[in-house]
Amino acid sequence: MRRFAGAAVHAQQLSHLRVVHLTDLHVGRMTPMKVQRTAIELTNRQEPHLVAITGDFVGHTQRYLEPLQSIVSSIAAPVVCVLGNHDHWAGAGEVREALRRAGAEVLTNQHTVITVGGQRLQIVGLDDAYTSNASWRDAVRGLRHDLPSLGLSHIAEEAEPLWHAGVPLVLSGHTHAGQLTIARLHEMAIGRLAGHKYVHGLYGTRQATRLGQGAVYVGAGVGAAVMPLRLGERSRREVTVFELGREPGSFDEPHAEQDPGKGRVPSPRRQYRRAAAVVRKERRRARRSGCRPDCA
Ligand SMILES: [Fe+2]
């Protein structure tokens, strides 16, 4: 459990809204169901007004959509979410449907206004940038500036255009905090090798004074899809609470805003390869089910 205040501007706009952030559930064979149930139990125990989940609901297949539906539907608060790269690899349409059946609102490059705890909150949700499905332009079209806002994006680097659109805090995931954080291995693997500016925890500023400034939070996630191992304090499975409406610094937090790493924008060739992988996997699924990709 980690607990942080929201952005300073939220304290002017809201009395108090408790948002639990979960990410990278990866419901599947690499993540024991006991872990999933514990995460939901911890979440419900916080009595949140809202639960935000930032993608990677599954591992590599659609085999676990029913358990996913049962896990998400056991959350005792409204759920709003966005998809991650694994959801696109496994089949975005089917994952979205399972989440909707579980009562979650899935945001796909769009924003919505929800009323929780008697207060309105505008939530901007980006689709997954790793597989080239994110469009911040679509997501912020018609965004209201008179409402408190919160952003959701699987990939943390997408927070930056949202800050320019006036979203002061963005929640994200994807990195699993590196999973192996002993001897700062995660900074090497996620930062230098994978090219992420934001590896784990809070970055930027919650005291934004102009457009273009803001904060992003990278959750360590609940599950795993490739390697079930998590070693080191910073790699621990995580349920994060954001107390929107509380001033940053008004209570003890796990750490202050960190400086980002250098990061590296993926080359157009790499972006193409990542997007092509989604199409390849979709074709393979269609072949196996004896159906053309467009016949479902
Ligand atoms: Fe993930």
Side-chain angles (χ1 to χ4, degrees):
M1 290 292 316
R2 305 178 101 212
R3 191 177 298 271
F4 291 88
V9 67
H10 289 145
Q12 297 161 21
Q13 297 168 313
L14 294 163
S15 58
H16 177 224
L17 275 185
R18 178 170 294 149
V19 178
V20 165
H21 173 222
L22 298 171
T23 192
D24 298 80
L25 299 182
H26 286 296
V27 176
R29 66 189 179 92
M30 289 289 172
T31 314
M33 285 307 282
K34 186 167 177 277
V35 166
Q36 305 287 359
R37 284 193 292 269
T38 304
I40 301 307
E41 215 178 283
L42 280 170
T43 298
N44 287 341
R45 218 180 287 159
Q46 305 309 308
E47 300 185 353
H49 294 100
L50 175 75
V51 174
I53 315 181
T54 48
D56 275 7
F57 290 91
V58 294
H60 296 274
T61 74
Q62 295 178 14
R63 234 170 279 150
Y64 295 86
L65 291 182
E66 275 187 28
L68 168 66
Q69 191 182 326
S70 132
I71 284 293
V72 173
S73 61
S74 59
I75 296 173
V79 177
V80 63
C81 59
V82 292
L83 297 191
N85 51 302
H86 278 265
D87 307 317
H88 280 275
W89 289 342
E94 290 83 352
V95 175
R96 250 184 226 117
E97 270 317 300
L99 292 167
R100 285 179 184 142
R101 282 196 300 272
E105 180 166 6
V106 188
L107 296 178
T108 305
N109 298 322
Q110 60 194 131
H111 57 85
T112 187
V113 177
I114 60 159
T115 302
V116 280
Q119 297 167 92
R120 286 195 295 173
L121 180 65
Q122 180 170 244
I123 305 170
V124 185
L126 295 188
D127 202 353
D128 173 53
Y130 186 94
T131 52
S132 296
N133 283 291
S135 169
W136 63 266
R137 283 187 181 83
D138 287 346
V140 304
R141 197 168 293 132
L143 198 68
R144 288 178 57 172
H145 295 285
D146 58 330
L147 291 175
S149 296
L150 179 69
L152 307 181
S153 169
H154 187 58
I155 301 295
E157 283 74 11
E158 295 298 304
E160 295 166 13
L162 296 185
W163 296 340
H164 281 278
V167 181
L169 173 64
V170 179
L171 308 181
S172 70
H174 182 63
T175 67
H176 301 192
Q179 288 191 216
L180 303 176
T181 64
I182 40 175
R184 308 186 83 132
L185 265 175
H186 61 304
E187 286 173 13
M188 168 72 92
I190 304 297
R192 280 198 229 152
L193 298 182
H196 284 291
K197 287 166 86 167
Y198 308 112
V199 176
H200 175 228
L202 193 61
Y203 296 87
T205 178
R206 286 172 293 173
Q207 309 278 358
T209 53
R210 57 175 169 79
L211 287 182
Q213 291 183 327
V216 62
Y217 187 81
V218 187
V222 170
V226 179
M227 173 183 66
L229 201 63
R230 280 180 180 260
L231 276 179
E233 174 61 27
R234 290 293 291 266
S235 74
R236 296 177 69 185
R237 302 178 196 277
E238 182 179 329
V239 172
T240 323
V241 179
F242 282 89
E243 309 282 11
L244 305 189
R246 298 277 186 265
E247 280 286 352
S250 61
F251 59 88
D252 274 352
E253 297 178 322
H255 64 79
E257 284 95 330
Q258 310 162 108
D259 292 329
K262 264 187 170 164
R264 194 176 55 246
V265 178
S267 66
R269 186 182 159 83
R270 183 170 291 245
Q271 288 178 38
Y272 174 79
R273 286 217 307 256
R274 288 173 176 176
V278 174
V279 177
R280 208 170 50 241
K281 286 169 197 287
E282 190 184 352
R283 285 192 183 139
R284 195 184 306 149
R285 273 198 311 280
R287 255 197 328 268
R288 282 183 186 154
S289 67
C291 178
R292 285 167 34 156
D294 56 356
C295 76

